[in-house]
């Protein structure tokens, strides 16, 4: 009988707990990712200095590289600097920009990447994509998944609370993204990858249903795990489908229409998800999701992130153009301006104040 199986690109190490950073060198040695301790560590020029001070004693063989920002040029520069040394792995220690730069640079020089995020702002920390600014705006570059993800919950607690909140919005939006995938399956015959959908849905639901808050380590643990699983779900399906539907199209529309004023990715995705749930007629689920987002201090109305209702309506109308080929509740309903305005008014009433 044939034994059919599939291998999932996934990290060798997922270490999420308070104090994980202090053991980074030992974990990488034990897992044979770096027995020599020769690591190229990418950190930001600003807040990276404090982290470096704290981590450097436990990584005596590491070389440190300051990364300017989140551009393709920064990533190429980092790759150029790293290739001058002999390293076992590249460590990205910092926020999303640093991790994405390190991801791209590691792929370019053929080294594995160890992701050590210092905030939980989105699900890109373990995904096979690096998002970098290029001359044309912003690009998504396919890269290997990190070989290890180390998340120190003590460090996460020190990050500005807004970043952790954003991660909640991004994780919860999975629930809406999966509903879009199921809709595309029903209406368009699109194939659902059941494993990817299961991982992404469970990740979203676990954050949505968790009674705790940002101040609790057990909540942060679940949130961090949810974001890691969302990234791996994208590797499983080979695209962002499990974690990106109408919620993310609305988010992209905000970014493209109002580039200077856009809010955090996860804030916009959470709002987009609550509204998309309402659009698809899941009114109770929409109100529940909005209630959870509110409880965590996330926006559920455009004015809470500085946009007028008309600006939001324009974003919803424009959203399908941000992801040609992706079928969601927005493409399905194909609403015109006045219809979006009407549904939005109903949404506001339904979620209450
Ligand atoms: Zn996202």
């Amino acid at each position: 009988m044939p034994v059919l199986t599939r291998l999932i690109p996934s990290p060798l190490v997922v270490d999420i707990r308070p104090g994980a950073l202090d053991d980074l060198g030992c974990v990488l040695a034990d897992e044979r990712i770096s027995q020599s301790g020769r690591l190229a560590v990418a950190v930001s020029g600003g807040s990276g200095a404090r982290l470096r001070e704290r981590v450097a004693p436990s990584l005596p063989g590491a070389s440190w590289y300051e990364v300017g920002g989140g551009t393709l040029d920064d990533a190429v520069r980092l790759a150029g600097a790293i290739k001058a040394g002999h390293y076992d792995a590249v460590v990205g220690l910092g926020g999303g920009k640093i991790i994405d730069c390190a991801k791209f640079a590691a792929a370019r020089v053929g080294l594995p990447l160890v992701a050590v995020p210092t905030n939980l702002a989105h699900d890109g920390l373990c995904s096979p994509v690096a998002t970098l600014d290029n001359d044309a705006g912003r690009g998504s570059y396919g890269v290997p998944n990190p070989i290890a993800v180390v998340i120190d919950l003590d460090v996460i607690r020190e990050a500005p609370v807004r970043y952790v909140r954003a991660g909640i919005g991004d994780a919860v939006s999975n629930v809406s993204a999966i509903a879009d995938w199921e809709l595309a399956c029903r209406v368009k015959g699109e194939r659902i990858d059941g494993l990817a959908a299961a991982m992404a849905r469970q990740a979203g639901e676990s954050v949505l249903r968790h009674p705790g808050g940002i101040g609790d380590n057990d909540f942060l643990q679940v949130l961090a795990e949810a974001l890691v699983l969302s990234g791996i779900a994208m590797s499983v399906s080979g695209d962002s489908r499990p974690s990106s539907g109408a919620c993310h199209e609305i988010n992209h529309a905000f970014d493209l229409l109002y580039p200077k004023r856009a809010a955090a990715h996860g804030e916009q995705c959470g709002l987009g998800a609550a509204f998309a749930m309402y659009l698809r007629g899941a009114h109770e689920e929409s109100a529940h999701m909005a209630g959870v987002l509110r409880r965590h201090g996330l926006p559920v109305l455009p004015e809470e992130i500085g946009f007028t209702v008309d600006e939001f309506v324009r974003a919803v109308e424009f959203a399908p153009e941000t992801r040609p080929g992706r079928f969601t509740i927005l493409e399905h309903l194909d609403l015109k301006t006045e219809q979006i305005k009407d549904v939005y008014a109903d949404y506001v009433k339904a979620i209450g104040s």
Side-chain angles (χ1 to χ4, degrees):
M1 196 171 82
V3 178
L4 298 173
T5 187
R6 66 168 158 182
L7 298 172
I8 299 169
S10 52
L12 276 177
V13 176
V14 174
D15 188 11
I16 304 171
R17 62 193 159 88
L21 198 54
D22 299 329
D23 302 334
L24 180 62
C26 297
V27 169
L28 296 182
D30 289 351
E31 300 291 338
R32 302 185 193 185
I33 292 168
S34 176
Q35 282 173 310
S36 74
R38 283 197 299 266
L39 297 161
V41 188
V43 287
S44 82
S47 56
R50 210 162 39 87
L51 275 170
R52 177 176 176 172
E53 218 170 274
R54 175 168 165 185
V55 182
S58 61
L59 297 176
S63 305
W64 293 77
Y65 295 90
E66 280 189 9
V67 181
T71 69
L72 183 56
D73 287 341
D74 290 321
V76 169
R77 241 190 317 274
L78 177 62
I82 286 172
K83 78 176 168 33
H86 290 285
Y87 300 113
D88 296 328
V90 179
V91 179
L93 172 61
K97 285 180 181 171
I98 302 299
I99 304 266
D100 280 6
C101 261
K103 267 185 188 173
F104 185 92
R108 201 165 157 111
V109 298
L111 288 172
L113 174 82
V114 176
V116 189
T118 51
N119 69 58
L120 297 177
H122 56 75
D123 61 20
L125 45 98
C126 192
S127 71
V129 177
T131 305
L132 298 165
D133 291 335
N134 55 32
D135 293 346
R138 185 160 285 181
S140 296
Y141 301 88
V143 293
N145 249 341
I147 197 167
V149 181
V150 176
I151 303 177
D152 188 329
L153 297 183
D154 290 336
V155 172
I156 297 301
R157 278 168 172 284
E158 290 165 21
V161 72
R162 193 172 171 209
Y163 290 128
V164 181
R165 282 192 187 131
I168 298 171
D170 205 18
V172 161
S173 78
N174 284 7
V175 174
S176 176
I178 297 294
D180 280 324
W181 205 357
E182 288 168 341
L183 175 75
C185 175
R186 276 197 309 278
V187 178
K188 292 280 176 185
E190 188 177 320
R191 194 181 142 268
I192 292 180
D193 186 311
L195 177 61
M199 291 169 78
R201 191 199 317 265
Q202 295 309 315
E205 290 282 355
S206 63
V207 174
L208 187 63
R209 312 279 164 192
H210 198 291
I214 291 170
D216 315 325
N217 266 354
D218 61 342
F219 177 79
L220 290 179
Q221 182 89 32
V222 166
L223 176 61
E225 289 175 357
L227 296 172
V228 168
L229 287 177
S230 295
I232 297 173
M234 289 188 253
S235 290
V236 170
S237 73
D239 58 19
S240 61
R241 197 40 143 151
S243 301
S244 167
C247 47
H248 277 60
E249 290 186 337
I250 292 172
N251 158 69
H252 291 312
F254 273 124
D255 287 349
L256 290 170
L257 291 175
Y258 319 109
K260 296 251 153 50
R261 297 163 51 207
H265 172 89
E267 290 178 323
Q268 295 179 166
C269 290
L271 162 61
F275 184 65
M277 292 306 285
Y278 191 84
L279 276 181
R280 66 172 57 90
H283 295 170
E284 252 175 59
E285 290 85 344
S286 169
H288 175 247
M289 190 180 279
V292 170
L293 294 173
R294 270 191 176 136
R295 178 164 65 80
H296 291 298
L298 279 151
V300 292
L301 298 172
E303 56 257 39
E304 291 162 358
I305 43 173
F307 292 98
T308 65
V309 173
D310 284 343
E311 285 170 332
F312 177 69
V313 169
R314 193 167 155 233
V316 172
E317 199 172 1
F318 179 70
E321 287 175 48
T322 65
R323 269 257 153 78
R326 180 147 298 178
F327 189 81
T328 77
I329 190 66
L330 297 173
E331 289 78 2
H332 184 57
L333 296 176
D334 191 24
L335 299 175
K336 302 292 168 262
T337 315
E338 290 309 312
Q339 294 169 300
I340 299 170
K341 275 187 186 164
D342 289 347
V343 184
Y344 176 75
D346 294 342
Y347 162 79
V348 173
K349 267 185 230 142
I351 64 168
S353 51

